[in-house]
Amino acid sequence: MKTRSLLQALFVALFVSIVACVACGGGGGSTAGGTTPSATSTEASQPNMTKTYPIHLHPHAHVGDRVQVVFDAFEDNGTIMHLASSGQEISSEHKTKRSHLEGVMTTVALDARQDELRATLDVKTLTVDDVVVLLNKRVDVTKARKADDAILMVDGAPVSPELRKALKDLLDLRVGGPTDDEIFGTTQPQLAGGHWPLNGERARADLAEDQGVDVASTTISGETTFVGIKHVGNLDALEMKAEMHIDGIKVPLPQPGATSEPGQAKATMTKLVPVDENRGVLESHMAFEMTMRIHVPTKTGDSVIGDITAFNQA
């Protein structure tokens, strides 16, 4: 199983943050993101300013690939709710969550595009806020076009909703859709320090398809930078950095009648990708922050306004 793509990590973090904040604020009246393999020492090589490198961010998958992984994610969500009519504050919530997963992932089958379709995850430990959720179990994963349609099984039975959510916050459960190369990459070989704009329109279309987001007023911009070459053990790796800005985003909310004003989000993502295209991603990290205002109707006919702030790191 390859690490989750940068775009998928960002969109999952975005949607999980909003749902978590709305739930803690509206009712009182989440990976996020990327993945981080086991830590390994790296050191920067002397950049060759005359040598260009092909840029590839989407690793080739092979049946039988086995990767020992450590995933860590942190969420920090806050919501302040006040009445629309008077401005009176009625609640202020701040919630954090830490997820940790250790295990070995094995690719079992590929789709027609030679991307991973089925995989097994031999979980050594999965914890959420230091509470053990899964220990020494194998998870069978069958991906789908939408992450919500992916099949997750343990001991021949579907996983519980709680375990599914914990795994979804960390794993890549989608197959198909744009790759990181299509969103963040370039077909032109690059010198160290080279940078180029990301494909905002392609990212925008995928955000609408996968998360059901209203993108009519949404713009996505940003750029990718080839920082240089790093030595990781005996491998040379491309050090990549991408920044994405999302303006005017509106998302579906769980409460009937609830709406959101256009919000803003920013993400910074990094990857270490071996120069050898037949090897998988070595490290992937993401930091994400968002602000948004929502409106939630009440039984009295008034509405509650919620100001949301969210931070995710993985």
Side-chain angles (χ1 to χ4, degrees):
M1 178 180 285
K2 68 180 181 62
T3 57
R4 183 164 54 182
S5 78
L6 298 179
L7 187 67
Q8 291 164 354
L10 169 63
F11 289 171
V12 168
L14 174 70
F15 192 72
V16 167
S17 298
I18 294 170
V19 171
C21 287
V22 173
C24 73
S30 228
T31 146
T35 57
T36 307
S38 302
T40 182
S41 61
T42 63
E43 60 181 53
S45 62
Q46 293 298 319
N48 184 337
M49 301 308 294
T50 63
K51 183 176 181 180
T52 60
Y53 292 85
I55 301 300
H56 55 276
L57 301 171
H58 182 67
H60 296 296
H62 305 88
V63 172
D65 281 351
R66 288 174 56 85
V67 182
Q68 184 173 354
V69 293
V70 176
F71 300 144
D72 286 288
F74 173 70
E75 298 175 21
D76 189 331
N77 300 315
T79 307
I80 298 177
M81 309 293 288
H82 54 271
L83 290 173
S85 58
S86 64
Q88 177 187 354
E89 182 177 314
I90 58 174
S91 68
S92 179
E93 303 247 7
H94 178 227
K95 291 187 176 182
T96 62
K97 183 173 78 172
R98 294 183 183 274
S99 302
H100 175 80
L101 170 65
E102 297 180 30
V104 175
M105 298 191 297
T106 304
T107 300
V108 175
L110 307 179
D111 67 1
R113 198 171 66 170
Q114 299 302 298
D115 285 334
E116 186 177 77
L117 177 63
R118 290 192 292 115
T120 60
L121 172 60
D122 291 301
V123 176
K124 179 180 178 181
T125 181
L126 169 61
T127 62
V128 177
D129 290 332
D130 296 324
V131 176
V132 176
V133 178
L134 197 63
L135 190 67
N136 297 323
K137 287 287 187 177
R138 170 169 289 185
V139 181
D140 294 303
V141 179
T142 302
K143 299 182 181 182
R145 186 65 181 87
K146 292 188 176 184
D148 287 341
D149 296 329
I151 300 172
L152 304 178
M153 308 282 286
V154 173
D155 294 333
V159 299
S160 67
E162 295 77 17
L163 178 55
R164 183 181 184 89
K165 183 180 186 307
L167 291 169
K168 183 182 175 183
D169 287 350
L170 293 168
L171 299 180
D172 169 18
L173 299 180
R174 295 184 63 199
V175 66
T179 67
D180 281 343
D181 283 319
E182 294 174 275
I183 302 296
F184 300 100
T186 175
T187 58
Q188 300 299 316
Q190 296 289 318
L191 295 167
H195 54 91
W196 54 92
L198 60 80
N199 189 335
E201 283 303 308
R202 190 71 179 89
R204 186 169 170 265
D206 193 57
L207 178 58
E209 179 181 354
D210 185 51
Q211 299 292 348
V213 173
D214 178 2
V215 298
S217 60
T218 303
T219 60
I220 299 179
S221 61
E223 70 173 17
T224 306
T225 300
F226 170 33
V227 179
I229 296 293
K230 273 194 171 182
H231 296 308
V232 184
N234 62 349
L235 296 176
D236 282 342
L238 308 174
E239 182 182 4
M240 309 299 303
K241 180 179 180 180
E243 290 189 356
M244 176 182 281
H245 302 267
I246 305 178
D247 293 303
I249 188 168
K250 298 176 70 175
V251 301
L253 301 175
Q255 281 88 344
T259 59
S260 65
E261 295 183 18
Q264 291 77 44
K266 176 184 178 181
T268 301
M269 297 158 280
T270 61
K271 265 191 177 185
L272 281 179
V273 186
V275 173
D276 181 355
E277 296 187 35
N278 290 309
R279 293 183 176 270
V281 173
L282 300 175
E283 291 186 16
S284 179
H285 302 270
M286 182 197 72
F288 162 82
E289 55 187 302
M290 178 202 69
T291 59
M292 179 174 287
R293 171 167 283 190
I294 62 170
H295 298 262
V296 183
T298 67
K299 294 179 179 179
T300 62
D302 199 351
S303 66
V304 173
I305 296 175
D307 291 311
I308 294 173
T309 60
F311 174 78
N312 281 258
Q313 190 171 39

